[in-house]
Amino acid sequence: VQLQASGGGLVQPGGSLRLSCAASGFTVSSYWMYWVRQAPGKSLEYVSVLKTAGGDIDYADSVKGRFTISRDNAKNNVYLQMNSLKPEDTAMYCCVRHVTYGSAWFFDYWGQGTLVTVSS
């Protein structure tokens, strides 16, 4: 199982980026897939989740209305379209796979992360 995130970079405030997460060794549509981020000196933060079955989606309040998570089943990729970026969006972004065992859940595989820097 591997997750390979890409698409980060330096962008001005108000700009856009599209992050990609290429998965191998499993089918992304069979798992809840998350994007999380960690800014320098801060704790890990939830960004968004794309669930299986009906494909329910959820976003952190801080990105709602600006970010869009999606999935390409043919390519086995997950994406995060980020618009109207703000300096506070600067962070390392990582895609992760969510699994459940009974009533417990956790993230079992993590991508290596892609750095997003929003600055003028």
Side-chain angles (χ1 to χ4, degrees):
V1 171
Q2 283 192 325
L3 293 167
Q4 182 79 26
S6 62
L10 174 64
V11 62
Q12 292 187 339
S16 298
L17 282 175
R18 186 195 193 206
L19 305 185
S20 298
C21 177
S24 60
F26 73 102
T27 302
V28 293
S29 60
S30 298
Y31 292 83
W32 291 18
M33 296 299 298
Y34 282 72
W35 285 98
V36 297
R37 67 185 181 185
Q38 187 165 24
K42 295 190 176 181
S43 58
L44 195 66
E45 180 186 14
Y46 158 75
V47 176
S48 182
V49 59
L50 177 54
K51 301 178 183 179
T52 56
D56 288 346
I57 289 173
D58 186 65
Y59 299 96
D61 287 343
S62 58
V63 307
K64 201 169 291 184
R66 300 187 298 120
F67 290 13
T68 303
I69 192 171
S70 63
R71 182 176 63 211
D72 184 328
N73 291 339
K75 294 183 178 180
N76 210 34
N77 286 358
V78 179
Y79 304 98
L80 186 68
Q81 177 67 43
M82 305 185 297
N83 299 329
S84 303
L85 282 162
K86 305 175 181 179
E88 52 263 42
D89 294 318
T90 294
M92 183 71 75
Y93 285 73
C94 192
C95 56
V96 294
R97 190 178 82 167
H98 167 281
V99 294
T100 58
Y101 283 100
S103 60
W105 67 268
F106 55 95
F107 297 139
D108 66 342
Y109 284 97
W110 298 64
Q112 88 287 1
T114 185
L115 181 62
V116 172
T117 303
V118 185
S119 175
S120 55

